[in-house]
């Protein structure tokens, strides 16, 4: 199989450790409908979803999911006065088009000559090559504020983090996009090409340092020259420190400790609040998905604590001993029923991993520490517990946040209390090893450390597919390969000047499509983006975020309210008559369970009975079919989109495929 490098570029995007691109098991037509199939120009629905009355409950669920996905496309542009926080919908748009191939019309006396000429047009004029040697160019775009950091110890950090505005800067680099030519082994596009990003060529970087500025009152020419009256930027907060909470790739984490050593398993050394862990494995961040620290950790005999992002665990206090060795006796229950109930005794200033890594994800599922005990004035004995879920040490070079990504860290140190800087290391420069090598000031004096940058790189190839959706769960960009091919063919038309010759024309390109998302800005009437961000930020740089004039008006997107049902039973449609549907149709379920599908099976090009479906598509999720017909004479020229499978698993997979497709429109 030949592989051709067609572009080297960097693209702003976000990602998650999940398979990217559309599922390959779904049977689809050559084309799928554009957005106007689903939505009219006024933002109202342009389709009816038809569910088979004989279908399984899963078909109804699939129809509901599709309706929700279509609902995200229903909006109108509206000009409004800005009077407070404004929410803007970024419209989908092509942010960049990368030319790949454009041969024009080629004519040759034989196929060998034609192929030789066609091969000279790969990558915008350069000759075709099977090697991966030449660097073509690059394109950069930052995401801006896309992650969050909460620099304070709060009891309900998950809720507080949800309410925190995006305040950490993120960007992405794509080192190369490659074309997989398929099995035809042709040195020119045929239309069957797929694109992919090689391993090690996709990086996502989040910078958690919080910057601020003030007006200088005197001149300075040390690290950076400035004069009185100029704005001076400085580090207001270095980034992630112990007790901070943050998001990465949209997932929430709590930093229990920053820089240290940790050994997973039972009978752990004290891990907090001193942040001194004992073990052979050094870490940069010791992370948890939920914590109980501070006042919420005080409990009496008979008291309970519930912990976990979804309240997975309940901790019952059976007894507290303060005579001799201080100890607490606990009953720990997994509310999901996966792990066995455990009764454990934990001594003061020690930590215990209740089940270890029971689910095999590399984390300690639940760690509990008895921090201290207390006897009240009325003899009421209490214990203060520190509790952590999914406790995981992470260092540079680890596979995190999933096995698809390799993580690297960058740190800052404050050695003498005068300010934060990069740590001293041999050869100077940035320390990307992740473990801060502390200099003599840190060893002998006071030294603080923080993680300011987290970066992950793809460990596996992303793709191949016609479209790479990044990320799949909340895509910001769709990287789409398209081609327009004619030939090669031999002209048999005797009236044509090229009679008897071989003719070919082809073009191919990649569209970087920004999907669009909601953005919230605190703006008052008359403010500009310069006022909001504190530095020059012109509309020309970001024309799709918003349009703001001196009068404080903005163009924003207003959701359209749907008051008429768009989901119907097949019996309703058949009773009214197929010639009176008056709308495009999305059919959920095959011909056995959906009478409308059965009536249109011929036009859709699918079997009309179960045996035919099983023979052609098989069973289970692999039998998913998404079939599109642009115009059906039976329903008055409207379009039809079939979402079905041989069985309920196939229909479910087909619906998921369509929802993913809709997310990119």
């Amino acid at each position: 199989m030949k592989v051709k490098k067609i572009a080297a570029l960097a693209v702003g995007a976000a990602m998650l450790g999940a398979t990217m691109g559309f599922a390959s098991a779904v049977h689809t037509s050559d084309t799928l409908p554009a957005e106007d199939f689903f939505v009219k120009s006024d933002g109202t629905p342009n389709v009816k979803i038809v569910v088979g009355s004989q279908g399984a409950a899963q078909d109804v669920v699939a129809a509901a999911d599709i309706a929700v996905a279509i609902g995200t496309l229903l909006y109108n542009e509206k000009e409004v006065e800005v009077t407070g926080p404004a929410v803007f919908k970024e419209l989908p748009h092509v942010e960049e088009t990368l030319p790949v191939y454009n041969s024009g019309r080629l004519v040759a006396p034989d196929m060998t000559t034609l192929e030789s000429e066609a091969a000279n047009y790969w990558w915008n004029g350069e000759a075709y090559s099977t090697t991966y040697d030449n660097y073509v160019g690059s394109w950069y775009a930052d995401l801006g504020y896309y992650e969050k950091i909460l620099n304070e110890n709060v009891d309900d950090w998950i809720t507080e983090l949800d309410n925190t505005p995006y305040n950490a800067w993120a960007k992405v680099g794509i080192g190369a996009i490659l074309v997989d030519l398929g099995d035809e082994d042709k040195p020119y596009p045929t239309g069957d090409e797929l694109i992919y990003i090689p391993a090690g060529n996709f990086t996502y970087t989040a910078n958690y340092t919080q910057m601020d500025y003030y007006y200088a009152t005197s001149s300075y020419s040390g690290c950076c020259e400035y004069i009185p009256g100029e704005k001076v930027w400085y580090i207001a907060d270095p980034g992630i420190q112990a007790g901070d909470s943050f998001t990465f790739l949209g997932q929430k984490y709590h930093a229990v400790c920053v820089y240290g050593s940790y050994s997973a398993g039972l009978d752990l050394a004290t891990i907090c609040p001193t942040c001194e862990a004992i073990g052979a494995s050094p870490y940069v961040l010791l992370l948890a998905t939920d914590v109980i620290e501070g006042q919420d950790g005080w409990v009496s005999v008979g008291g309970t604590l519930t912990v976990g992002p979804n309240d997975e665990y309940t901790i019952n206090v059976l007894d507290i001993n303060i005579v001799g060795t201080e100890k607490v006796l606990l009953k720990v229950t997994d509310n999901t029923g996966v792990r066995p109930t455990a009764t454990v005794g934990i001594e003061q200033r020690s930590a215990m991993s209740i089940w270890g890594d029971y689910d095999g994800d590399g984390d300690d599922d639940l760690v509990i520490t008895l921090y201290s005990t207390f006897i009240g004035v009325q003899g009421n004995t209490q214990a203060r517990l520190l509790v952590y879920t999914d406790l995981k040490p992470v260092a540079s070079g680890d596979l995190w946040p999933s096995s698809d990504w390799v993580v690297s860290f960058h740190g800052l140190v404050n050695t003498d209390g005068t300010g934060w800087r990069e740590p001293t290391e041999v050869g100077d420069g940035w320390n990307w090893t992740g473990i801060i090598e502390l200099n003599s000031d840190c060893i002998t004096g006071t030294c603080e450390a923080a993680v300011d940058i987290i970066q992950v790189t793809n460990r596996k190839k992303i793709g191949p597919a016609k479209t790479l959706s990044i990320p799949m769960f909340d895509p910001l960009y769709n990287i789409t390969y398209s081609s327009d091919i004619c030939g090669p063919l031999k002209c048999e038309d005797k009236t044509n000047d090229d009679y008897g010759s071989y003719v070919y024309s082809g073009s191919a390109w990649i569209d970087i499509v920004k999907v669009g998302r909601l953005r919230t800005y605190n703006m008052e009437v008359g403010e500009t983006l310069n006022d909001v961000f504190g530095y020059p930020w012109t509309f020309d740089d970001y024309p799709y975020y918003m349009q703001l004039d001196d009068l404080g008006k903005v163009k924003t997107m207003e959701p359209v309210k749907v008051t008429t049902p768009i989901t119907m039973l097949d019996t309703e449609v058949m009773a009214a008559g197929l010639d009176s549907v008056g709308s495009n149709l999305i059919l959920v379920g095959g011909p056995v369970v959906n009478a409308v599908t059965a009536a249109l099976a011929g036009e859709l090009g699918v079997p009309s009975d179960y045996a035919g479906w099983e023979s052609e598509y098989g069973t289970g999720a692999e039998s998913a079919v998404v079939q599109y017909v642009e115009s059906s004479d039976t329903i008055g020229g409207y379009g039809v989109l079939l979402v079905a499978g041989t069985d309920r698993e196939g229909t479910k997979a087909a619906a998921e495929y369509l929802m993913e497709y809709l997310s990119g429109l």
Side-chain angles (χ1 to χ4, degrees), residues 23-257:
S24 59
V26 178
H27 307 275
T28 64
S29 51
D30 293 335
T31 60
L32 290 179
E35 185 175 352
D36 58 5
F37 173 89
F38 304 96
V39 182
K40 297 178 182 178
S41 59
D42 63 357
T44 58
N46 199 25
V47 294
K48 288 184 173 65
I49 304 172
V50 182
V51 184
S53 56
Q54 302 300 312
Q58 181 60 55
D59 291 9
V60 178
V61 173
D65 287 340
I66 294 170
V68 170
I70 293 174
T72 63
L73 304 176
L74 306 179
Y75 50 79
N76 270 324
E77 186 176 287
K78 182 181 179 182
E79 190 174 73
V80 299
E81 291 282 349
V82 180
T83 58
V87 179
F88 301 91
K89 172 67 177 182
E90 182 180 12
L91 297 178
H93 61 278
V94 176
E95 196 155 285
E96 183 84 356
T97 295
L98 306 173
V100 174
Y101 182 94
N102 190 1
S103 68
R105 191 169 188 268
L106 303 178
V107 181
D110 55 71
M111 182 63 74
T112 301
T113 303
L114 182 70
E115 290 189 344
S116 177
E117 292 184 11
N120 292 327
Y121 291 90
W122 272 105
W123 181 242
N124 203 17
E126 291 189 7
Y128 169 78
S129 172
T130 59
T131 62
Y132 178 26
D133 296 327
N134 301 319
Y135 182 82
V136 178
S138 59
W139 174 65
Y140 295 91
D142 287 348
L143 283 177
Y145 293 114
Y146 193 71
E147 298 288 1
K148 300 180 179 182
I149 181 171
L150 182 64
N151 295 112
E152 54 184 301
N153 280 297
V154 295
D155 294 331
D156 189 4
W157 67 272
I158 294 178
T159 300
E160 290 292 332
L161 196 59
D162 286 337
N163 296 331
T164 300
Y166 293 100
N167 57 1
W169 198 267
K171 61 182 179 180
V172 161
I174 295 182
I177 295 180
L178 294 144
V179 163
D180 184 338
L181 294 182
D183 296 328
E184 294 192 29
D185 200 27
K186 298 292 185 182
Y188 51 81
T190 64
D192 296 329
E193 297 80 33
L194 302 174
I195 57 174
Y196 70 93
I197 300 173
N201 279 269
F202 195 119
T203 58
Y204 176 82
T205 307
N207 190 327
Y208 295 92
T209 298
Q210 302 296 291
M211 303 295 292
D212 204 346
Y213 62 92
Y214 62 90
Y215 287 96
T217 57
S218 61
S219 61
Y220 180 72
S221 59
C223 67
C224 43
E225 295 184 358
Y226 57 83
I227 60 177
E230 286 189 348
K231 287 182 178 179
V232 181
W233 289 92
Y234 68 95
I235 296 177
D237 189 285
I240 303 170
Q241 297 175 272
D244 291 346
S245 306
F246 65 98
T247 65
F248 188 73
L249 300 178
Q251 303 301 300
K252 304 180 187 70
Y253 300 97
H254 181 81
V256 178
C257 299

Side-chain angles (χ1 to χ4, degrees), residues 195 276 335 542:
I195 57 174
E276 295 177 357
N335 298 321
Y542 294 91

Side-chain angles (χ1 to χ4, degrees), residues 551-604:
L551 299 178
K553 291 183 178 180
V554 298
K555 289 181 179 179
T556 185
M557 305 312 298
E558 182 179 72
V560 172
K561 295 181 179 180
V562 180
T563 58
T564 303
I566 65 170
T567 304
M568 306 175 64
L569 290 173
D570 58 344
T571 51
E572 297 178 86
V573 176
M574 296 300 290
L578 291 174
D579 57 351
S580 63
V581 294
S583 174
N584 297 324
L585 296 182
I586 298 177
L587 307 180
V588 179
V592 176
V593 299
N594 192 320
V596 180
T597 303
L600 301 179
E603 292 181 75
L604 288 166

